Amino acid sequence: MESEDIEDLLFDCDYAKCFDTSNRRQLNLVDYYELNINIDYEFVVNKYSKYLSPKRIEFILELLKQRIEEVRKCCFQNQK
């Protein structure tokens, strides 16, 4: 992981496990949801940062940012 580019790592982790070919497409399958995604994930990651390398912290933070943004786009686009 240390020698890989963050963009390559993020691209490699965009796969779906059960319901479709990507995380983004999988989110479109959700018909009903009640979701609170206003989580201070940076605080949580930083809380455990002494156990993680700087590269892994960077990767986790960027991955969470992207995935939460995708959830917002897919799940909340029609809400006012």
Side-chain angles (χ1 to χ4, degrees), residues 27-68:
L27 285 169
N28 288 321
L29 300 174
V30 177
D31 288 331
Y32 176 78
Y33 45 85
E34 196 167 310
L35 187 60
N36 177 7
I37 58 173
N38 296 318
I39 299 166
D40 189 358
Y41 62 87
E42 290 184 43
F43 172 79
V44 176
V45 172
N46 288 326
K47 181 178 176 180
Y48 297 99
S49 64
K50 67 181 179 182
Y51 303 109
L52 304 167
S53 71
K55 181 94 175 210
R56 185 168 294 273
I57 293 168
E58 179 186 7
F59 170 70
I60 291 169
L61 290 173
E62 186 59 33
L63 182 63
L64 286 170
K65 180 177 117 185
Q66 287 183 13
R67 289 195 175 170
I68 288 171

